[in-house]
Amino acid sequence: GAVVSQHPSWVICKSGTSVKIECRSLDFQATTMFWYRQFPKQSLMLMATSNEGSKATYEQGVEKDKFLINHASLTLSTLTVTSAHPEDSSFYICSAPDQMETQYFGPGTRLLVL
Amino acid sequence: KQEVTQIPAALSVPEGENLVLNCSFTDSAIYNLQWFRQDPGKGLTSLLLIQSSQREQTSGRLNASLDKSSGRSTLYIAASQPGDSATYLCAVNYNNDMRFGAGTRLTVKP
């Protein structure tokens, strides 16, 4: 079946630095990808919809200048957490639908900001 | 291997029926379990979250149960409506290592 990869799987960084997370669809093209975030003991929540060749659509309450999304190609979307702070520590996961609208999820990226 | 299975893959019911969607998982050492709804072209919408210590959660016409020992969760939808038509996904969280089921595509006919 289709595969979505994420890199890195986990990252530890200092407060104030920026962190880039990649989401790739390995054997299919995705014009749309989704980014989610989950805090401990809370639901996975949609952050934004990444659109190839155009601006991402952010959910209410998600700062677009804080979480930069670039959908540079039909197989790659990146999420950059800018000037990360400890409250940004979370589990980030992406998904991509294939042409049949079946969603495939990446394995997730655990971010810890010190 | 941690696998999540959803049955049935597709379900079509007339409006007003009560229905049950099933989710089973092979590893019972879960952190929590979530049910999501997905509409075509949209991201997931969280419906219910059940922590590993809980047995059920309710929200409106939705009720989700969790039986860790048998590796099962069910999503019960009461008095179904055409607006409930969507794909329903369950996701098992193994401490931030999530496993998703393939989903159940629900159609509620007027």
Side-chain angles (χ1 to χ4, degrees):
Chain A
V3 176
V4 171
S5 69
Q6 275 185 247
H7 179 80
S9 57
W10 61 272
V11 58
I12 301 174
C13 68
K14 292 182 179 180
S15 184
T17 61
S18 294
V19 175
K20 179 185 286 187
I21 303 171
E22 294 184 347
C23 177
R24 293 182 185 271
S25 56
L26 297 185
D27 50 6
F28 66 100
Q29 294 181 333
T31 56
T32 301
M33 292 184 178
F34 301 97
W35 286 97
Y36 302 87
R37 176 173 58 184
Q38 183 175 38
F39 294 107
K41 296 189 177 182
Q42 295 186 26
S43 291
L44 192 73
M45 298 301 293
L46 178 65
M47 296 176 66
T49 302
S50 173
N51 305 298
E52 189 270 335
S54 64
K55 292 182 179 180
T57 304
Y58 291 82
E59 296 299 300
Q60 190 173 7
V62 179
E63 300 175 58
K64 59 182 67 177
D65 294 330
K66 174 76 171 177
F67 300 98
L68 300 179
I69 291 173
N70 183 19
H71 199 141
S73 74
L74 288 171
T75 60
L76 173 64
S77 174
T78 60
L79 169 69
T80 300
V81 183
T82 63
S83 186
H85 288 95
E87 57 265 30
D88 298 323
S89 299
S90 188
F91 181 65
Y92 294 87
I93 195 167
C94 71
S95 72
D98 64 8
Q99 289 184 336
M100 301 300 292
E101 290 289 334
T102 300
Q103 288 282 345
Y104 296 93
F105 293 86
T109 297
R110 188 180 305 188
L111 170 64
L112 177 61
V113 184
L114 301 177
Chain B
K1 188 178 179 181
Q2 297 161 336
E3 296 182 347
V4 179
T5 304
Q6 288 188 248
I7 295 173
L11 181 63
S12 181
V13 300
E15 181 177 5
E17 272 201 11
N18 302 323
L19 56 98
V20 175
L21 307 181
N22 297 291
C23 174
S24 60
F25 44 95
T26 55
D27 185 347
S28 61
I30 73 172
Y31 188 68
N32 58 44
L33 183 146
Q34 301 179 51
W35 282 94
F36 296 91
R37 169 188 175 133
Q38 183 193 5
D39 294 286
K42 305 291 185 181
L44 300 182
T45 299
S46 180
L47 297 174
L48 290 163
L49 167 67
I50 309 177
Q51 302 292 350
S52 63
S53 58
Q54 297 174 325
R55 291 192 65 84
E56 68 175 343
Q57 284 288 325
T58 299
S59 176
R61 294 183 293 108
L62 305 179
N63 175 276
S65 67
L66 174 64
D67 184 344
K68 280 200 308 179
S69 60
S70 65
R72 292 179 182 175
S73 176
T74 60
L75 178 66
Y76 176 82
I77 302 177
S80 59
Q81 302 171 359
D84 295 331
S85 297
T87 296
Y88 291 81
L89 289 158
C90 86
V92 181
N93 189 351
Y94 293 100
N95 197 16
N96 282 343
D97 183 10
M98 296 191 76
R99 295 286 184 266
F100 289 83
T104 294
R105 195 179 300 247
L106 173 66
T107 303
V108 181
K109 296 176 286 186

